């Protein structure tokens, strides 16, 4: 069994490989580290991966690593499709180890369903999103993720009407979380469909929602609200590469 220092070194090594554009090799190291993380959790009796950061002094926080691995497995899958299957397996396990952290749970669920879209299994993708949205019909980013699979993903069939239907289904929920982000995604869709009346209607709605953006919204600002970029760091890049925005055009932006 590896010590926490050895695990930390594995996480740092994987990060260095990914930084050097060796994504597949970096993911291989990180997946080996994941097996060691699970063993360490069993040894310590930690309730979730985030508790390990409280027990040990990791240089690369485990809570960050597990989320970065999910994103990088997507990018590795672009280079080697077998990493799509590895991403599904890893994310399914992560759901068992990330405790009650709602944001990580939601992002991980999205990753699983979106990966099924990546490999062309749209029925499975839809069944997963439908099931999770029945459990939590107010999950705004769930509707966005499902809609993206029918609109933005280069590897899945394009059906903008289906994407629109999903977004409107979300907006029909009175207590929808991150409504402002769902509205923005709807505007983006209508811009691609060249529907000026709808664009105007939803931009008016967006303006009214600005002051109520929640902390999980791309529009949340603790000080005066400034409209952010439309594409989130972990969203599909609008250039069509299939990569996450932060690993594609977003990496060129000066922060």
């Amino acid at each position: 069994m590896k010590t926490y220092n050895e695990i930390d070194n594995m996480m740092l090594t994987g990060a260095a490989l990914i930084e050097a554009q060796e994504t597949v090799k970096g993911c291989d190291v990180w997946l080996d580290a994941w097996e060691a993380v699970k063993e360490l959790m069993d040894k310590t009796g930690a309730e979730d991966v985030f508790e390990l950061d409280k027990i040990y002094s990791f240089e690369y926080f485990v809570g960050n690593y597990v989320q970065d691995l999910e994103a990088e497995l997507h990018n590795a899958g672009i280079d080697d499709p077998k990493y799509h299957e590895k991403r599904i397996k890893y994310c399914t396990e992560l759901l068992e180890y990330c405790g009650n952290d709602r944001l990580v749970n939601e992002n991980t669920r999205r990753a699983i369903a979106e990966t099924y879209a990546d490999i062309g299994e749209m029925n499975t993708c839809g069944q997963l999103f439908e099931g999770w949205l029945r459990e939590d019909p107010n999950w705004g980013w769930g509707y966005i993720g499902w809609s993206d699979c029918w609109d933005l993903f280069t590897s899945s069939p394009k059906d903008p009407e289906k994407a629109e239907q999903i977004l409107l289904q979300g907006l029909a929920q009175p207590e929808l979380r991150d409504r402002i982000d769902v509205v923005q995604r709807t505007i983006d869709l209508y811009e691609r469909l060249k529907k000026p009346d709808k664009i105007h209607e939803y931009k008016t709605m967006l303006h009214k929602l600005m002051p109520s953006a929640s902390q999980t919204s791309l529009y949340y600002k603790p000080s005066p609200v400034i409209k952010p970029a439309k594409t989130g760091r972990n969203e599909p890049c609008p250039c069509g590469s299939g990569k996450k925005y932060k690993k594609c055009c977003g990496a060129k932006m000066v922060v």
Side-chain angles (χ1 to χ4, degrees):
M1 178 176 175
K2 297 189 181 301
T3 65
Y4 96 86
N5 282 316
E6 290 173 321
I7 296 171
D8 203 16
N9 287 333
M10 293 172 73
M11 293 190 294
L12 291 168
T13 299
L17 286 167
I18 289 168
E19 186 68 24
Q21 304 301 314
E22 297 282 355
T23 306
V24 169
K25 291 182 180 178
C27 283
D28 285 340
V29 174
W30 272 1
L31 286 171
D32 287 341
W34 174 242
E35 296 303 316
V37 166
K38 290 188 293 183
E39 289 182 354
L40 188 61
M41 287 187 64
D42 290 339
K43 174 186 175 182
T44 60
E47 293 185 1
D48 55 44
V49 291
F50 306 103
E51 191 172 341
L52 291 179
D53 288 322
K54 299 176 183 177
I55 299 173
Y56 300 102
S57 300
F58 286 100
E59 184 174 345
Y60 196 134
F61 291 145
V62 177
N64 292 336
Y65 145 76
V66 295
Q67 296 174 78
D68 291 342
L69 176 53
E70 172 267 299
E72 295 302 336
L73 283 170
H74 166 81
N75 293 330
I78 296 172
D79 297 328
D80 186 342
K82 71 182 181 184
Y83 282 83
H84 290 315
E85 298 289 349
K86 291 177 182 288
R87 188 187 191 208
I88 291 171
K89 179 179 181 295
Y90 164 71
C91 288
T92 301
E93 292 180 355
L94 180 57
L95 286 176
E96 300 177 12
Y97 287 93
C98 63
N100 296 320
D101 188 300
R102 190 177 77 184
L103 183 59
V104 176
N105 269 282
E106 290 179 350
N107 288 343
T108 305
R109 286 179 169 185
R110 276 184 63 194
I112 293 171
E114 289 172 355
T115 306
Y116 277 109
D118 279 328
I119 62 178
E121 295 189 20
M122 298 303 292
N123 286 338
T124 302
C125 169
Q127 288 169 3
L128 288 171
F129 273 122
E130 283 182 325
W132 290 325
L133 287 167
R134 275 196 301 271
E135 293 175 12
D136 182 7
N138 299 318
W139 177 26
W141 281 95
Y143 296 101
I144 290 174
W146 190 10
S147 173
D148 284 353
C149 292
W150 289 103
D151 180 38
L152 295 180
F153 280 34
T154 57
S155 55
S156 57
K158 294 292 184 295
D159 189 341
E161 287 75 22
K162 175 71 172 177
E164 177 187 21
Q165 175 190 352
I166 293 167
L167 292 171
L168 295 181
Q169 178 185 338
L171 291 173
Q173 305 302 319
E175 303 298 325
L176 183 71
R177 296 191 301 279
D178 299 317
R179 180 177 296 274
I180 190 171
D181 299 278
V182 182
V183 170
Q184 180 61 71
R185 202 55 125 245
T186 307
I187 293 171
D188 294 343
L189 176 61
Y190 284 141
E191 286 178 342
R192 287 189 290 278
L193 294 176
K194 302 186 186 311
K195 293 186 175 182
D197 292 343
K198 289 292 186 181
I199 294 170
H200 176 73
E201 175 187 348
Y202 282 87
K203 280 189 174 180
T204 300
M205 187 184 305
L206 183 74
H207 180 72
K208 292 179 180 178
L209 289 169
M210 281 287 192
S212 62
S214 69
Q215 293 189 24
T216 54
S217 168
L218 295 179
Y219 286 80
Y220 175 74
K221 295 288 181 181
S223 52
V225 176
I226 301 172
K227 185 177 180 180
K230 293 180 180 178
T231 308
R233 294 179 72 248
N234 287 315
E235 299 306 304
C237 190
C239 76
S241 68
K243 294 186 176 182
K244 298 287 187 179
Y245 179 65
K246 69 180 181 181
K247 287 294 181 178
C248 193
C249 295
K252 304 172 186 176
M253 296 179 64
V254 177
V255 179

